[in-house]
Amino acid sequence: MITTDILIIGAGPTGLFAVFEAGLLKLKCHIIDGLPQPGGQLTELYPKKPIFDIPGYPSVLAGDLVDNLMEQIKQFQPGFTLNEKAETIKKLEDGTFIVTTNKGTEHHAKAIAIAGGLGSFEPRKPLIEDIEFYEDKGVEYFVKDPELFRDKKIVIAGGGDSALDWSIFLADVASHVTLIHRRNEFRGALDSVEKVQELKKAGKIQLITPAEVTGIHGAEKVEALDVEIDGAHQRIETDYFIPLFGLTPKLGAIANWGLEIEKNAIKVNNALDYQTNVEGIYAIGDINTYPGKLKLILCGFHEATLMCQSVYNKLNPGKKYVLKYTTVSGVDGFDGTRKEAEKQVVKAIE
Ligand SMILES: Cc1cc2nc3c(=O)[nH]c(=O)nc-3n(C[C@H](O)[C@H](O)[C@H](O)COP(=O)(O)OP(=O)(O)OC[C@H]3O[C@@H](n4cnc5c(N)ncnc54)[C@H](O)[C@@H]3O)c2cc1C
């Protein structure tokens, strides 16, 4: 069982920054995310887009902001349960919680911060009979570990950046890469399309368009696919089928946790600390709602900060909390020079 002070559900920017604010208060965090990597929408939907409204950054690529957040929280050594979705929650008599994921991993925490954004991202699955039977038996909706495909035959389907980028990357890993798309034109970045064409010419990728995978065969695992190419049918032998058709967000199991939900978002007390109707469970970032809510990264950062203060006060009853500037305290508490600096700041304020 994993134990922590604050269990954060969602490794988007809000969840990541919550680790930093909690760390300043010496609270330990563990994060669960259904995706294989941190960053939430920024990593999954727009890693190469510049964001212009992060204070202090005239422009920052979404992917770089995630890298910086990860760097900023490294010092507090948060734990991660990635590629697993928080599914059930149980409140114990002492007010603590046990959250279990869809893969059975149990987490025990003193407080829960749901930073689930638009909900967990579910892969869009192609409409192929029996595809569920082959999931984890040759059908993969994410590339979690490229080494799985080393020296194997793989078929990737899709026309966006994920399908193109993974085809390019895996051309050096797999023994045989086939990319199938139902149109001749791709939606992904032009330079990736050009690279795929180059690899096709070099014989490293087999490109089949316009075409669609219509069936899967194999007794125990994927062995071959039926492909419809411009009206004609062909069978392709393969070890893996990787449909990369994008992800759709769903509130999922969290909707059954007894929380007040309004229009697919969790209602919180924004006058105080972003707590939900269940004491000890907070909701921060895009997933919450309150009058005047704005779904912006900087609002998530603010909400994460107040949530951490509230958890600190709950876990340390009677202990007076004094706001400390990081310029004075640093991130690991006071040292001699910082104490001196603080005195000067206090003097200056007085
Ligand atoms: C194209 C685009 C451009 C944008 N541009 C801007 C911009 O310029 N400025 C700005 O401020 N905002 C922008 N946004 C909005 C911004 O991305 C969101 O406000 C921000 O991502 C919210 O962060 P979050 O951490 O609350 O949620 P998210 O980023 O959505 O992260 C939530 C995470 O929670 C995980 N999760 C959910 N449920 C579960 C569960 N049950 N178990 C495990 N994990 C779970 C998800 O997998 C996800 O990784 C943009 C959004 C898009 C789509």
Side-chain angles (χ1 to χ4, degrees):
M1 170 113 57
I2 292 163
T3 55
T4 190
D5 293 324
I6 308 180
L7 180 69
I8 299 169
I9 297 164
T14 306
L16 295 179
F17 190 64
V19 174
F20 180 78
E21 287 296 324
L24 292 180
L25 300 169
K26 306 240 179 296
L27 296 172
K28 201 165 165 31
C29 292
H30 189 93
I31 309 190
I32 305 179
D33 203 297
L35 294 173
Q37 76 287 316
Q41 294 173 51
L42 286 71
T43 311
E44 204 50 51
L45 303 179
Y46 60 106
K48 298 275 187 264
K49 274 194 173 49
I51 306 175
F52 300 103
D53 54 352
I54 302 298
Y57 284 95
S59 163
V60 58
L61 291 183
D64 290 348
L65 180 62
V66 172
D67 289 347
N68 288 349
L69 284 164
M70 288 296 285
E71 182 61 32
Q72 194 174 20
I73 64 174
K74 204 165 68 183
Q75 57 202 321
F76 296 120
Q77 300 173 339
F80 284 93
T81 301
L82 293 176
N83 221 1
E84 297 188 28
K85 280 178 267 181
E87 203 155 79
T88 61
I89 192 163
K90 194 165 125 196
K91 191 169 187 178
L92 305 181
E93 271 179 18
D94 63 359
T96 61
F97 298 88
I98 292 184
V99 171
T100 308
T101 67
N102 59 327
K103 295 196 179 154
T105 313
E106 289 187 322
H107 306 75
H108 182 218
K110 294 174 186 155
I112 307 292
I114 305 175
L118 306 172
S120 60
F121 290 100
E122 305 286 338
R124 278 200 197 100
K125 300 182 182 182
L127 295 170
I128 299 173
E129 215 182 315
D130 294 337
I131 191 161
E132 275 85 12
F133 171 80
Y134 293 102
E135 287 169 1
D136 293 327
K137 293 181 203 142
V139 169
E140 303 285 337
Y141 299 109
F142 297 101
V143 179
K144 295 161 204 158
D145 176 11
E147 281 305 310
L148 184 67
F149 309 110
R150 179 152 309 271
D151 302 327
K152 302 284 182 200
K153 282 186 252 168
I154 64 168
V155 173
I156 294 177
D161 283 315
S162 287
L164 292 164
D165 292 349
W166 281 120
S167 297
I168 295 165
F169 185 87
L170 293 172
D172 281 334
V173 177
S175 65
H176 205 274
V177 176
T178 304
L179 174 59
I180 295 178
H181 180 41
R182 64 196 165 92
R183 296 185 216 284
N184 287 323
E185 305 76 34
F186 285 87
R187 290 188 318 278
L190 190 61
D191 57 340
S192 306
V193 178
E194 285 169 0
K195 182 79 189 156
V196 163
Q197 294 293 357
E198 275 171 33
L199 289 167
K200 180 190 167 190
K201 273 191 208 132
K204 297 195 80 176
I205 289 181
Q206 187 188 5
L207 189 57
I208 310 183
T209 63
E212 222 166 319
V213 175
T214 53
I216 307 177
H217 300 276
E220 301 287 319
K221 58 178 288 303
V222 174
E223 288 170 18
L225 304 175
D226 283 334
V227 182
E228 194 178 317
I229 309 166
D230 222 359
H233 292 266
Q234 192 181 320
R235 190 167 283 202
I236 296 181
E237 281 187 14
T238 188
D239 299 308
Y240 286 97
F241 174 40
I242 313 171
L244 298 174
F245 294 159
L247 303 167
T248 45
K250 289 210 173 81
L251 199 50
I254 291 174
N256 308 320
W257 285 10
L259 305 171
E260 263 186 80
I261 309 269
E262 190 179 277
K263 290 190 190 146
N264 239 7
I266 302 169
K267 275 174 95 172
V268 290
N269 166 6
N270 71 308
L272 202 58
D273 53 9
Y274 303 97
Q275 206 163 179
T276 67
N277 58 312
V278 178
E279 181 157 9
I281 304 185
Y282 299 75
I284 51 176
D286 274 17
I287 198 142
N288 73 16
T289 184
Y290 53 83
K293 167 72 184 177
L294 289 178
K295 290 190 180 188
L296 285 174
I297 296 165
L298 87 124
C299 297
F301 289 168
H302 166 78
E303 294 163 12
T305 307
L306 295 195
M307 176 277 292
C308 289
Q309 301 287 332
S310 173
V311 174
Y312 177 89
N313 288 330
K314 255 186 225 300
L315 299 184
N316 297 281
K319 198 166 167 183
K320 196 167 172 287
Y321 170 71
V322 185
L323 176 73
K324 292 164 189 163
Y325 297 138
T326 56
T327 43
V328 175
S329 65
V331 289
D332 51 0
F334 295 100
D335 63 22
T337 28
R338 284 177 182 144
K339 252 194 183 136
E340 198 41 52
E342 189 197 30
K343 270 190 216 148
Q344 286 170 18
V345 171
V346 172
K347 248 189 183 165
I349 291 170
E350 283 166 359

